[in-house]
Amino acid sequence: MRFFSDNAAPVHPAVFAALEQANTLDTAYDGDGWSRQLDQRFSDLFEAKVRALWVPTGTSANCLALAALCPPHGAVVCHHDAHIQNDEGGAPGFYTHGAKLLLGKGDGAKLTPASIAAVLDPIRNDVHQVQAHAISITNATEYGCVYTPNEVAAIGHLARERRLGLHMDGARFANAVAHLGCTPADLTWRAGVDALSFGFVKNGGMSAEALIFFRPDLAPELFDATLYRRKRAGLLLSKGRYLAAQIHALLDHDLWLDNARASNAGARMLAEAAGDRLVYPVEANEVFLRVTAAEAEKLRAKGFDFYDWGVGEARLVTSWDHQPDAIRPLAEAIAAL
């Protein structure tokens, strides 16, 4: 009956099993066998050499990436509805030691090359103005919309032209890949992405996210400096094998994709019931509905839990563990409004 956030979903049993297997003596911090295997594990997944490290939260993954791509005197272009702008408590500025966020526009919380250029073009090459050093996009976005590989590549091309780094907030990266049916490589480094925050907590994990750096041979300093930033920020957990083990468990047998497909399918059930109440197309596991306050209260009176999202809107989020029998009553209630 609870559809307010996939952050609240249970931990997948495979993750608990992996934690039990990791509950043995090994090297501290990130010197254990599970952590040392992450580079190769993600290199295999992305079909290219990458560097990977675990962090405990999505905020830390995003902000460590931005700190690597943008100096304290610089700026990052992001959407005005981006998580790094509205939901991370000023953490980007904290981790980057003062870098500024420059806000762009776009439907469904998606940026385009044109909307990014509209932010960049007025900036003079002048010491009195903050210069952009990076772009950050979210896939899937805060409104559950998905960037295609071609859309990412268009932004990646602009980033290269302007000599900017490109970061992808992939808190729901699994949902985007599951929706598109593309390879992780096509949606990231082949499209020009330099760093990816790869979300696992929303998708069956407990307390582990991954930060992936592409092009390690061309820009090794991005990863190397991040190791120091992670420690300085208090994020180098002494028993890191328990984070790495979670990630391995979700990568095993493509469980991360199976979980995302399940949550996406649940959202589609709700979308079919919603009809013309949909605010945005449902492309991941978030559904945004047009509802009056009275209609929202009617749904809550039947026991359904969800976020109000602006005036006259509600957000419903499905999770990897939502079974059709649990979703169907809400779908029927929405259709009956």
Side-chain angles (χ1 to χ4, degrees), residues 62-290:
N62 286 339
C63 295
L64 287 172
L66 297 181
L69 296 173
C70 184
H73 61 271
V76 177
V77 179
C78 67
H79 195 278
H80 66 79
D81 285 326
H83 201 271
I84 59 173
Q85 161 65 13
N86 294 332
D87 295 286
E88 293 187 342
F94 177 79
Y95 278 80
T96 60
H97 296 281
K100 185 177 181 180
L101 298 180
L102 302 176
L103 308 182
K105 299 178 180 179
D107 291 340
K110 291 172 69 173
L111 292 173
T112 65
S115 67
I116 296 168
V119 174
L120 296 174
D121 289 347
I123 302 173
R124 302 188 309 274
N125 184 15
D126 185 327
V127 71
H128 296 284
Q129 295 204 313
V130 175
Q131 303 298 305
H133 285 257
I135 301 166
S136 180
I137 61 175
T138 309
N139 207 11
T141 74
E142 286 72 21
Y143 282 105
C145 298
V146 168
Y147 287 92
T148 67
N150 285 341
E151 289 172 329
V152 178
I155 294 173
H157 180 71
L158 173 68
R160 293 288 174 266
E161 281 189 333
R162 304 291 183 110
R163 296 187 177 182
L164 306 175
L166 179 55
H167 163 251
M168 180 179 286
D169 177 350
R172 295 186 176 92
F173 180 71
N175 300 94
V177 174
H179 170 75
L180 294 165
C182 66
T183 68
D186 288 342
L187 201 54
T188 53
W189 66 267
R190 286 184 182 138
V193 174
D194 296 297
L196 167 70
S197 304
F198 195 146
F200 288 94
V201 171
K202 289 179 169 65
N203 197 32
M206 183 171 69
S207 58
E209 311 276 48
L211 176 52
I212 313 298
F213 286 97
F214 305 105
R215 303 188 304 136
D217 295 333
L218 296 178
E221 69 280 359
L222 297 182
F223 179 84
D224 293 342
T226 300
L227 294 174
Y228 288 90
R229 290 191 181 98
R230 181 176 65 167
K231 173 61 178 177
R232 188 169 183 261
L235 298 169
L236 181 60
L237 278 66
S238 62
K239 297 180 181 179
R241 62 187 180 277
Y242 294 103
L243 280 74
Q246 296 177 53
I247 294 170
H248 283 293
L250 288 164
L251 291 177
D252 285 346
H253 311 295
D254 285 337
L255 180 58
W256 67 286
L257 272 178
D258 290 342
N259 285 353
R261 291 184 184 114
S263 58
N264 285 4
R268 287 196 298 272
M269 284 184 64
L270 297 178
E272 290 169 4
D276 59 7
R277 289 182 179 272
L278 291 178
V279 181
Y280 295 103
V282 174
E283 298 175 340
N285 65 321
E286 295 181 286
V287 180
F288 293 85
L289 298 179
R290 296 183 181 89

